[in-house]
Amino acid sequence: MELLKMQNVSFSYRDKQILHDLNLSVKNGEFVTILGPSGSGKSTIFQLIGGIQTPYMGSIILEGEEITGDRGHISYMPQSPSLLPWRTIIQNVLLGQELQAKKDYKKADEMLQRAGLLEYRNAYPHELSGGMKQRVAFLRALLSPQPIICLDEPFSALDELTRQEMQLWLLSIWEQYKKTIIFVTHNIEEALFLSDRIFVLSAKPARIKQEVVVPFLRPRDEEMLFTGEFLQHKKMIHDLLRKG
Ligand SMILES: Nc1ncnc2c1ncn2[C@@H]1O[C@H](COP(=O)(O)OP(=O)(O)O)[C@@H](O)[C@H]1O
Ligand SMILES: [Mg+2]
């Protein structure tokens, strides 16, 4: 059963065509990545899924219901962690549950524990490093009631080693909770390392140029990055993007 579908979605911004007849679908529990160069329309796709923008054609369907132009159905994590500075870490983690009658402190504490952040439970965001803040923002997204988490290039500002560390951490947490993730990146290696499937965007106006099913078993580790099969896939996707 498809959890989310974008059907024949076209979008333009001030007369400029950004997306043209874009189709994609995501299944429950999947980790999918939308891959394309800067300016190709990746964040725009999230704005459409999140109802911040409305396509001039096509529809967005969540659990069988049309949600085109509706807000609040997905949990969105922007590039910078955006924690509220006047709230403690536990209160930030539970922010997505603001409208729920009873906040799930037990689960939040369990997640903080697993993320190695329990000792910062009552600290404020300025007491945490950049990477720790990002983990908190991610836990918040995981605990939100929405069925899908959208992650917009969360690791692009990190150095190579920290990025790999965060990717491994993200996978380990995701494998425990199996919430559906749509991830956006311009980094081929990152897309291959994390995803079940990759949607490769075409040159402007963007549509899905190809869907790549990632064959690598889970759990994944860094050794995978140096195998022949990984490099082959990397080259294949590189060539796809090159041709536009
Ligand atoms: N607010 C905006 N101001 C100017 N251009 C925009 C705006 N929103 C979207 N665009 C246009 O949409 C294109 C896609 O943008 P975006 O979705 O942010 O790309 P990506 O996230 O892949 O880098 C850009 O190349 C730009 O021309
Ligand atoms: Mg973007």
Side-chain angles (χ1 to χ4, degrees), residues 13 16 18 36-45 152-153 204:
Y13 180 80
K16 209 166 86 185
I18 311 287
S38 295
S40 59
K42 303 184 296 298
S43 295
T44 303
I45 292 174
D152 196 346
E153 310 214 39
K204 281 183 197 178

Side-chain angles (χ1 to χ4, degrees), residues 173-223:
I173 295 280
W174 173 74
E175 273 155 21
Q176 282 161 23
Y177 294 98
K178 286 284 179 194
K179 206 157 169 170
T180 310
I181 292 183
I182 309 178
F183 192 96
V184 146
T185 185
H186 61 262
N187 185 315
I188 302 173
E189 198 167 274
E190 178 165 77
L192 275 170
F193 187 66
L194 295 173
S195 325
D196 295 319
R197 287 189 295 145
I198 301 171
F199 294 107
V200 182
L201 294 179
S202 70
K204 281 183 197 178
R207 58 185 168 76
I208 304 299
K209 180 161 192 190
Q210 190 160 321
E211 178 198 320
V212 177
V213 177
V214 180
F216 309 116
L217 297 176
R218 298 183 188 276
R220 296 179 181 166
D221 60 39
E222 286 140 309
E223 287 305 309

Side-chain angles (χ1 to χ4, degrees), residues 22-60:
L22 184 124
N23 287 279
L24 64 82
S25 68
V26 181
K27 294 190 200 71
N28 204 2
E30 252 190 323
F31 195 131
V32 303
T33 293
I34 297 166
L35 176 71
S38 295
S40 59
K42 303 184 296 298
S43 295
T44 303
I45 292 174
F46 276 173
Q47 285 166 10
L48 291 166
I49 296 173
I52 310 291
Q53 303 272 15
T54 308
Y56 70 81
M57 254 175 43
S59 45
I60 297 158

Side-chain angles (χ1 to χ4, degrees):
M1 162 76 178
E2 310 291 357
L3 180 60
L4 180 88
K5 273 208 273 204
M6 294 181 79
Q7 275 177 339
N8 311 109
V9 168
S10 295
F11 176 77
S12 51
Y13 180 80
R14 291 195 180 144
D15 295 338
K16 209 166 86 185
Q17 180 92 3
I18 311 287
L19 307 177
H20 177 68
D21 201 23
L22 184 124
N23 287 279
L24 64 82
S25 68
V26 181
K27 294 190 200 71
N28 204 2
E30 252 190 323
F31 195 131
V32 303
T33 293
I34 297 166
L35 176 71
S38 295
S40 59
K42 303 184 296 298
S43 295
T44 303
I45 292 174
F46 276 173
Q47 285 166 10
L48 291 166
I49 296 173
I52 310 291
Q53 303 272 15
T54 308
Y56 70 81
M57 254 175 43
S59 45
I60 297 158
I61 295 160
L62 180 71
E63 293 170 321
E65 295 200 18
E66 175 147 7
I67 58 155
T68 319
D70 286 359
R71 298 191 186 190
H73 293 283
I74 58 153
S75 164
Y76 171 72
M77 183 178 147
Q79 196 164 330
S80 55
S82 73
L83 303 179
L84 298 180
W86 59 88
R87 289 200 177 207
T88 61
I89 295 309
I90 183 76
Q91 294 302 342
N92 266 288
V93 166
L94 286 166
L95 204 61
Q97 298 192 350
E98 204 73 326
L99 300 174
Q100 276 170 224
K102 202 164 167 290
K103 292 187 188 178
D104 198 344
Y105 281 95
K106 191 159 168 271
K107 190 154 183 210
D109 280 338
E110 178 196 303
M111 281 179 160
L112 284 172
Q113 166 95 49
R114 287 199 177 152
L117 289 167
L118 196 56
E119 62 180 301
Y120 293 93
R121 184 184 195 276
N122 300 315
Y124 288 88
H126 74 267
E127 300 173 65
L128 275 63
S129 71
M132 287 155 87
K133 279 188 251 194
Q134 212 161 27
R135 288 172 202 222
V136 172
F138 181 69
L139 295 184
R140 177 175 65 194
L142 264 181
L143 265 175
S144 300
Q146 294 90 342
I148 298 181
I149 303 179
C150 291
L151 302 173
D152 196 346
E153 310 214 39
F155 306 142
S156 61
L158 303 175
D159 63 82
E160 173 96 4
L161 286 177
T162 312
R163 176 151 47 86
Q164 279 177 10
E165 214 176 282
M166 286 298 294
Q167 288 169 352
L168 280 168
W169 180 81
L170 173 60
L171 283 185
S172 71
I173 295 280
W174 173 74
E175 273 155 21
Q176 282 161 23
Y177 294 98
K178 286 284 179 194
K179 206 157 169 170
T180 310
I181 292 183
I182 309 178
F183 192 96
V184 146
T185 185
H186 61 262
N187 185 315
I188 302 173
E189 198 167 274
E190 178 165 77
L192 275 170
F193 187 66
L194 295 173
S195 325
D196 295 319
R197 287 189 295 145
I198 301 171
F199 294 107
V200 182
L201 294 179
S202 70
K204 281 183 197 178
R207 58 185 168 76
I208 304 299
K209 180 161 192 190
Q210 190 160 321
E211 178 198 320
V212 177
V213 177
V214 180
F216 309 116
L217 297 176
R218 298 183 188 276
R220 296 179 181 166
D221 60 39
E222 286 140 309
E223 287 305 309
M224 189 184 104
L225 302 174
F226 305 102
T227 62
E229 201 186 2
F230 190 87
L231 294 173
Q232 263 172 14
H233 275 79
K234 193 170 159 183
K235 165 115 177 66
M236 184 263 288
I237 295 175
H238 175 267
D239 292 347
L240 268 175
L241 285 171
R242 249 285 154 67
K243 283 184 221 129

